[in-house]
Amino acid sequence: QVQLVESGGGLVQPGGSLRLSCVASGITFSWYVMAWYRQVPGSQRDLVASLTSDTYAQYADSVRGRFTISRDNAEETVYLQMNSLKPEDTAIYYCNAHQVFPTWGDRDYWGQGTQVTVSS
């Protein structure tokens, strides 16, 4: 059974920092592109950052320079360091594991989400 378990969300003041973690189980972690998405109620789920196993990272324009995605393949964990947080960063943040395999096809897994609220 595949599980992605996020932690680290919470309430933070504007300008503050948070570090999200996502621990994976049930998959060969190093095979997957790991990503963080976020969603505001009533809106679509948007990509925040993604990271391949060979550490190629991509970021949404709105977070580039403030957020950093990293991974520890040995610990099967992906992180999102969020600095200089803004109220518009308020959302539920979801961990995602994705890969397209020649034999097995598309594999896409999601965590349950963790709430991040940026407010004074």
Side-chain angles (χ1 to χ4, degrees):
Q1 180 182 359
V2 178
Q3 283 193 305
L4 301 177
V5 180
E6 302 105 331
S7 61
L11 173 65
V12 63
Q13 292 187 340
S17 297
L18 282 175
R19 189 194 196 201
L20 305 183
S21 300
C22 170
V23 180
S25 60
I27 60 172
T28 304
F29 184 80
S30 62
W31 290 355
Y32 284 78
V33 177
M34 299 303 298
W36 289 94
Y37 287 73
R38 66 186 181 188
Q39 186 172 26
V40 175
S43 298
Q44 66 181 21
R45 192 172 294 187
D46 294 323
L47 177 68
V48 176
S50 66
L51 184 63
T52 66
S53 191
D54 56 1
T55 67
Y56 175 74
Q58 291 185 293
Y59 295 92
D61 289 343
S62 59
V63 307
R64 188 175 292 112
R66 299 188 297 122
F67 291 11
T68 303
I69 187 171
S70 61
R71 64 192 292 165
D72 185 333
N73 287 342
E75 296 295 325
E76 300 183 312
T77 302
V78 61
Y79 304 97
L80 186 67
Q81 178 65 44
M82 305 185 293
N83 299 329
S84 302
L85 282 160
K86 305 175 181 180
E88 52 263 43
D89 295 317
T90 296
I92 300 173
Y93 283 71
Y94 295 91
C95 178
N96 172 262
H98 179 254
Q99 189 54 272
V100 180
F101 295 96
T103 301
W104 304 322
D106 191 287
R107 291 290 184 265
D108 195 44
Y109 303 106
W110 293 92
Q112 81 287 351
T114 185
Q115 176 71 47
V116 171
T117 302
V118 185
S119 175
S120 55

